Amino acid sequence: MLIALHGSWHQPAHFADLTSRLTSLGIDVLAPDLDKDSLPDRIAAAQQAIDSCPEPPLVLAHSFGGLVAGSLTGVRHIIYLASYVLDPGETAVDVAVRAIEQTGTPDPLLTVMTPGPDGHTHVAPENARETFFADCSAEVAEAATQLLRPERDDIGQWTPTWVNREVTRSTYVQCEQDRALRPEIQEQFAARCNETLAWPTSHSAYLSRPDLVLDLIRRTNSTDASQV
């Protein structure tokens, strides 16, 4: 069983193609909707999916979905795909500020986020492909862009109170051409995981290179099974 956790501005439907491919291989997938008002509520939604599994599942966490994945229990292995791996008390704003200070360049997400009057931020369609889907086909990028939705404007201040890093094995996939979560930050997060891979992809490798994701999931399942 695989639990797929989407990132900010995204939704479960972004995993539709990957889910179809995995199902054809005999791997069941649950993709809970994380569109909740707080981090505890998002963790609860994902935990409910975890608890419904007959045995500890593999989790694929993309982008901000990693903040949720890191606080789950009953998980066999987490694949962080260009994802946030925060410590308790640490926020996305904290890591962005550190990167800005180190590189002297603005955070790429801050340059494309547009605040709205409703307490949400938006990513304009004309910025979405460059930011999230740069190496996707035009058709895939257009479909994925249409699925984007507003995100709460305070998520950059959210922080976990507990993380499962000491009890849950993890693999971090660095997306080297990422234009949403800069590589310098991904390197810091990767150092917090048991294994690191690097792919020459942009932010949404599960859309642009599903073959890489499928192969990693199969290998991880095989490796985990051999260790039981």
Side-chain angles (χ1 to χ4, degrees):
M1 175 68 76
L2 176 81
I3 306 297
L5 303 179
H6 64 81
S8 298
W9 300 284
H10 290 63
Q11 59 177 296
H14 280 95
F15 288 121
D17 177 67
L18 183 66
T19 296
S20 177
R21 292 170 186 262
L22 287 168
T23 301
S24 70
L25 297 175
I27 300 175
D28 293 327
V29 181
L30 289 177
D33 193 346
L34 303 181
D35 184 28
K36 311 297 180 184
D37 290 331
S38 68
L39 179 58
D41 286 343
R42 295 189 183 193
I43 294 170
Q47 190 65 55
Q48 184 176 16
I50 299 291
D51 294 343
S52 72
C53 298
E55 57 187 30
L58 173 65
V59 170
L60 174 68
H62 180 239
S63 196
F64 207 71
L67 187 55
V68 173
S71 295
L72 298 173
T73 61
V75 173
R76 168 166 49 90
H77 195 130
I78 301 172
I79 296 174
Y80 290 103
L81 180 59
S83 191
Y84 285 83
V85 184
L86 298 180
D87 286 329
E90 182 181 46
T91 70
V93 169
D94 292 335
V95 296
V97 168
R98 286 202 301 266
I100 291 169
E101 292 173 345
Q102 292 168 4
T103 65
T105 59
D107 185 89
L109 270 181
L110 293 179
T111 64
V112 299
M113 288 167 41
T114 303
D118 56 354
H120 290 70
T121 59
H122 308 256
V123 176
E126 59 268 24
N127 294 325
R129 181 169 188 182
E130 176 74 13
T131 304
F132 300 129
F133 316 120
D135 60 343
C136 294
S137 69
E139 181 180 4
V140 169
E142 175 63 24
T145 298
Q146 292 298 319
L147 289 172
L148 294 176
R149 57 188 178 182
E151 177 59 281
R152 282 147 191 80
D153 62 7
D154 62 344
I155 62 168
Q157 300 292 346
W158 292 2
T159 185
T161 58
W162 173 84
V163 293
N164 55 27
R165 212 170 301 147
E166 296 297 321
V167 296
T168 304
R169 187 163 183 82
S170 59
T171 299
Y172 197 96
V173 179
Q174 296 178 240
C175 293
E176 297 173 317
Q177 305 302 318
D178 200 325
R179 300 172 188 176
L181 184 59
R182 63 171 71 199
E184 297 91 347
I185 292 177
Q186 291 190 45
E187 289 177 4
Q188 296 174 32
F189 292 154
R192 298 173 178 179
C193 297
N194 301 111
E195 178 186 14
T196 301
L197 302 173
W199 292 348
T201 68
S202 65
H203 191 61
S204 303
Y206 66 96
L207 289 171
S208 63
R209 291 296 306 274
D211 56 316
L212 292 177
V213 179
L214 290 171
D215 182 62
L216 176 56
I217 289 171
R218 284 194 298 246
R219 287 191 290 110
T220 302
N221 277 335
S222 177
T223 300
D224 289 349
S226 69
Q227 294 176 346
V228 174

